[in-house]
Amino acid sequence: MNTAVMPDVFTETVEPLMRAAKENGATPESLSTAFVTALLGLYGRPAAKDFSAKFGFMKLVNQEGGVASAKEAAALYGGRTPASDEAVRKAARLGQIIGVKDGRGNVLFPKWQFSEKGGVLPGLRETLNVLRQHPHFHDLLPLTFFLNPSARLGGKRPLDLLRGEKEG
């Protein structure tokens, strides 16, 4: 059985259903829940779990302006004098900036970590250094840490504090 889905199949079937659901008041959250539930019913738990993980990853990396390729990140990191693609990849390998692999071997760089003048937000490198000491550190840990609100921070996200917003 061929499990590959051609783009026109999606466009002709799922997209119109999603559009109709949206027009009737469905939210993105309710649509994604319905989609995962349908996947679970049709393909079983492993397929639904895999999709859910990929969807969660995409949702996470697309927050706060999305992600940049190495070339785009080099321009953001360097400011007026763009850095090289290799310089940002190296900075990610050294834990100085956040870079996550997308499953195809490409490294993606969250745009929110870069300062408007170039470089990274003040305090990012120091925080990354502390996070890297965590016994269960992985590439997504900095994303989840910086982008999720914390009761310890008065409901703010660590990213909000890096940007200079005061605690609750």
Side-chain angles (χ1 to χ4, degrees):
M1 178 168 116
N2 184 2
T3 58
V5 176
M6 303 303 292
D8 57 49
V9 171
F10 179 83
T11 302
E12 293 175 8
T13 58
V14 177
E15 193 173 295
L17 291 172
M18 293 176 81
R19 189 174 291 114
K22 179 182 177 187
E23 289 170 2
N24 286 300
T27 65
E29 292 79 17
S30 66
L31 286 172
S32 64
T33 299
F35 196 75
V36 170
T37 302
L39 272 175
L40 182 59
L42 293 170
Y43 297 101
R45 189 166 190 79
K49 187 176 179 182
D50 183 53
F51 170 78
S52 182
K54 288 177 182 171
F55 180 76
F57 171 76
M58 292 308 298
K59 187 175 176 182
L60 186 64
V61 298
N62 284 310
Q63 289 185 38
E64 292 291 331
V67 291
S69 67
K71 183 175 185 147
E72 295 167 323
L76 294 169
Y77 189 56
R80 291 185 184 188
T81 309
S84 68
D85 299 9
E86 185 51 39
V88 292
R89 286 189 194 98
K90 182 177 180 181
R93 279 192 308 272
L94 295 174
Q96 298 171 343
I97 64 173
I98 301 168
V100 292
K101 291 189 178 174
D102 68 357
R104 297 182 195 152
N106 300 315
V107 180
L108 305 173
F109 301 88
K111 292 179 180 178
W112 52 260
Q113 70 184 311
F114 299 106
S115 164
E116 291 179 12
K117 296 178 182 179
V120 294
L121 294 173
L124 181 86
R125 286 184 175 157
E126 295 81 1
T127 308
L128 288 174
N129 190 38
V130 172
L131 290 175
R132 292 184 78 67
Q133 306 308 311
H134 192 279
H136 302 291
F137 181 84
H138 54 83
D139 287 352
L140 293 179
L141 181 65
L143 289 175
T144 58
F145 174 78
F146 284 111
L147 296 174
N148 285 307
S150 170
R152 290 180 174 173
L153 302 176
K156 296 234 182 240
R157 304 171 305 168
L159 174 59
D160 300 328
L161 299 181
L162 285 183
R163 290 178 170 161
E165 297 178 25
K166 303 293 182 205
E167 288 184 49

